Amino acid sequence: MTGPLRLKEMTPARARETLTAMPRLLVPAGTLEARGPHLPLGCDTVILERLADDLSAQTGIARTPALEYGVHATPDELGPGTAALTRKTLHRALNELIAVWEEVAGVRDTLILTAHAADPHLEALSTIRTIGRVRVVDILSLEGIVAFRESKSGPWHGGEVDTSLMLFIAPGLVDLTIAETGSIRAV
């Protein structure tokens, strides 16, 4: 396994070489919102960046920098430090980015990774009009995670799945001293 192929760390010549050899991209589309009092606001993005790095390293597919902002399900999700885009803005930004990657770099297959199941967010990501193929994967709706989630009680955001993933990926960003009672099992 080699390291991840991060576009932001490549020279123009290396990016051309990489995308010519494999005209595919991984695009992590995160959020900046509360996931419980014990997790960082960028929890989704941290998880997605790790997944994109691992997938890139294993497949040889380049990955883009993460989009740090998503579409919140409801306006009441705003709080200190949080930020969101409108559905239209996220949709337009992705359309423009993918169009450039297709036209200039010849990308023909884009996989957008997200960990935010809000309908407006998924709609913004899944209505992309491009030359090539664009797929959206909400990693938290994958079969094994859904089955696990349905077998547990407690909150989804900031619950056992988010917390477990963060404890594995970036334990220093999890503050278990302020985790809400009942939101996660004892570690």
Side-chain angles (χ1 to χ4, degrees):
M1 184 165 111
T2 63
L5 300 169
R6 297 182 190 116
L7 282 181
K8 70 181 180 181
E9 297 173 358
M10 293 181 190
T11 63
R14 177 71 172 128
R16 182 180 300 107
E17 176 186 304
T18 300
L19 294 174
T20 298
M22 176 92 63
R24 297 177 171 173
L25 280 176
L26 299 167
V27 180
T31 61
L32 188 65
E33 65 180 10
R35 289 286 192 230
H38 61 296
L39 295 174
L41 296 174
C43 174
D44 289 353
T45 307
V46 171
I47 292 167
L48 292 169
E49 286 184 312
R50 172 62 183 270
L51 176 61
D53 277 349
D54 289 352
L55 287 172
S56 175
Q58 291 178 11
T59 64
I61 299 172
R63 64 154 287 210
T64 69
L67 295 168
E68 300 273 352
Y69 306 99
V71 180
H72 290 174
T74 59
D76 64 343
E77 291 182 16
L78 297 177
T82 64
L85 300 173
T86 65
R87 186 202 61 77
K88 184 176 180 179
T89 300
L90 179 59
H91 172 78
R92 186 174 194 166
L94 269 172
N95 272 338
E96 290 181 18
L97 291 169
I98 291 171
V100 169
W101 291 320
E102 288 179 339
E103 292 169 18
V104 176
V107 171
R108 291 295 177 261
D109 193 4
T110 304
L111 180 62
I112 301 170
L113 302 169
T114 191
H116 185 53
D119 286 339
H121 180 77
L122 293 173
E123 180 184 321
L125 299 177
S126 63
T127 57
I128 308 298
R129 305 232 188 315
T130 63
I131 298 168
R133 180 171 60 166
V134 176
R135 293 169 287 165
V136 177
V137 174
D138 173 12
I139 66 163
L140 299 179
S141 69
L142 296 174
E143 188 175 319
I145 293 177
V146 170
F148 177 80
R149 180 179 135 202
E150 289 174 351
S151 72
K152 307 294 178 190
S153 61
W156 177 229
H157 284 153
E160 197 168 348
V161 172
D162 286 340
T163 303
S164 295
L165 288 169
M166 286 299 295
L167 284 170
F168 178 75
I169 293 167
L173 297 179
V174 180
D175 186 351
L176 290 176
T177 66
I178 58 172
E180 293 177 352
T181 304
S183 67
I184 58 172
R185 295 178 187 269
V187 177

